[in-house]
Amino acid sequence: MSVDLVEVVRSGFRECVHRGSVVIIGPDGAPAFEAGSVHVPIYPRSTNKPLQALTLLKFGFDPVDEAELAIAGASHFGEPGHIELVERLLGRFGFREDDLACPPDLPMDEKTRAGVLHRGEEPAKRYMNCSGKHAAMLATCAVNGWPTAGYTDPGHPLQQAVSAQVIALTGEPETDLGIDGCGLPIVPVALVNLARAFSALATAAPGTPERRIADAIRAEPWVISGTNGPDLLAMRAVPGLLCKIGADGVHAGALPDGSAFAYKIDDGADRARIPLTMAILQRMGVPWSAALTELAAPAVLGGGSRVGVIRAISEALATSS
């Protein structure tokens, strides 16, 4: 059962409430706080990407720098720097954009999207937010001599390896797979196990594949998201934080000591994400700052002026349900 987590207040009136489930674990992996259905599997969506990228590293993918590793686990906004990384990765292994199996899309960044439309361009696979992951998967197929045709199929050796890695890191039992928005298989994961997986990445020994993923994401937060993206804002505000959003209201992250969180907003509302993440980090003991205060309470506008606020419901994170 989900609980009320975030409220939208306009002119002193509670206009909307976003419900969901959230878990916080301590450095020992035990739940320190839980509200809602945190032991029931959900589709983690793009919070899966660091785990998928981990598999690629373990099977021979050798990025030239942290930015290239970050784009392999990114939900990028399709800005020019993102596209340059995707095209560089494709070209390095002899692939073209047409080899990507993700669907065509427009950039998520508003200014970039406007420029694409102004130039009369059509949606393209390179602009799709998962194109970096797909490019890295093609590269991994090339390294291992696996066929690139059908690389998104659940029976393909690459996807079997990815599913096995996600199951091993999260402790989830084998189960039927879903299909994510980019066409790749996705393993259902309970929030508590998703948090534990992020904890394992953040606390892994330096030089291990797990730590390389964590370090690349923390070093290149713009690459894995984009201008004003939730992960970029959160990681800039909290040094050492590792986090990754997923579509439809999923977010997971971990601090260097191994404490971690994961949540799912039932209605998938993006506006609930950052206020809730900031409130969770505060409950985890992150030192408060002006930057965190601003992110924790984005404005509700009326006539272009601030008339309200989007904020986490304090009672929701006060005690476990």
Side-chain angles (χ1 to χ4, degrees):
M1 180 181 295
S2 57
V3 300
D4 293 351
L5 291 174
V6 176
E7 62 183 359
V8 181
V9 178
R10 179 185 297 274
S11 302
F13 180 83
R14 179 187 276 189
E15 188 173 34
C16 301
V17 174
H18 299 289
R19 297 175 59 84
S21 301
V22 57
V23 65
I24 299 171
I25 64 169
D28 61 354
F33 172 85
E34 54 185 276
S37 303
V38 304
H39 300 279
V40 178
I42 62 155
Y43 287 136
R45 307 300 298 273
S46 284
T47 56
N48 238 1
K49 285 178 178 174
L51 313 187
Q52 292 168 319
L54 172 62
T55 309
L56 307 186
L57 280 182
K58 289 189 172 183
F59 278 81
F61 174 55
D62 187 19
V64 299
D65 53 27
E66 286 185 315
E68 191 170 277
L69 179 52
I71 203 70
S75 297
H76 68 74
F77 283 16
E79 296 173 76
H82 298 129
I83 304 309
E84 289 173 9
L85 284 168
V86 173
E87 292 178 339
R88 185 184 82 181
L89 181 53
L90 286 171
R92 191 156 68 85
F93 288 88
F95 294 110
R96 300 173 303 153
E97 181 178 352
D98 287 346
D99 294 310
L100 297 170
C102 57
D105 205 350
L106 291 169
M108 291 198 294
D109 177 68
E110 290 186 5
K111 289 183 178 179
T112 307
R113 182 170 65 250
V116 167
L117 293 173
H118 180 71
R119 294 192 297 271
E121 294 185 40
E122 298 291 330
K125 292 181 177 182
R126 65 184 180 278
Y127 291 134
M128 203 270 169
N129 78 91
C130 300
S131 64
K133 174 176 68 175
H134 280 255
M137 286 188 170
L138 285 170
T140 306
C141 288
V143 168
N144 288 277
W146 293 331
T148 55
Y151 75 87
T152 63
D153 189 282
H156 189 280
L158 175 62
Q159 299 311 325
Q160 290 183 328
V162 169
S163 295
Q165 178 62 62
V166 173
I167 289 169
L169 195 60
T170 61
E172 291 287 343
E174 292 192 37
T175 186
D176 292 337
L177 303 178
I179 301 298
D180 211 343
C182 67
L184 287 169
I186 186 168
V187 178
V189 178
L191 289 172
V192 66
N193 291 330
L194 186 60
R196 287 170 178 153
F198 271 72
S199 176
L201 297 179
T203 59
T208 60
E210 291 84 354
R211 183 62 173 269
R212 289 181 64 192
I213 291 292
D215 287 347
I217 290 173
R218 288 184 289 212
E220 300 285 352
W222 178 83
V223 171
I224 68 140
S225 55
T227 300
N228 293 324
D231 285 323
L232 174 66
L233 296 175
M235 283 188 277
R236 280 184 175 173
V238 182
L241 173 66
L242 164 71
C243 63
K244 182 70 187 71
I245 66 166
D248 290 328
V250 184
H251 204 189
L255 295 171
D257 69 351
S259 57
F261 71 88
Y263 67 75
K264 161 74 175 170
I265 300 295
D266 286 355
D267 63 7
D270 283 337
R271 67 179 178 180
R273 195 190 302 274
I274 279 290
L276 181 56
T277 297
M278 294 302 106
I280 289 170
L281 290 170
Q282 183 179 28
R283 197 186 193 285
M284 292 171 70
V286 169
W288 211 237
S289 66
L292 295 177
T293 299
E294 183 177 353
L295 291 173
V300 171
L301 300 179
S305 300
R306 185 184 185 102
V307 298
V309 66
I310 306 169
R311 63 193 179 197
I313 299 171
S314 57
E315 296 85 354
L317 297 177
T319 57
S320 295
S321 61

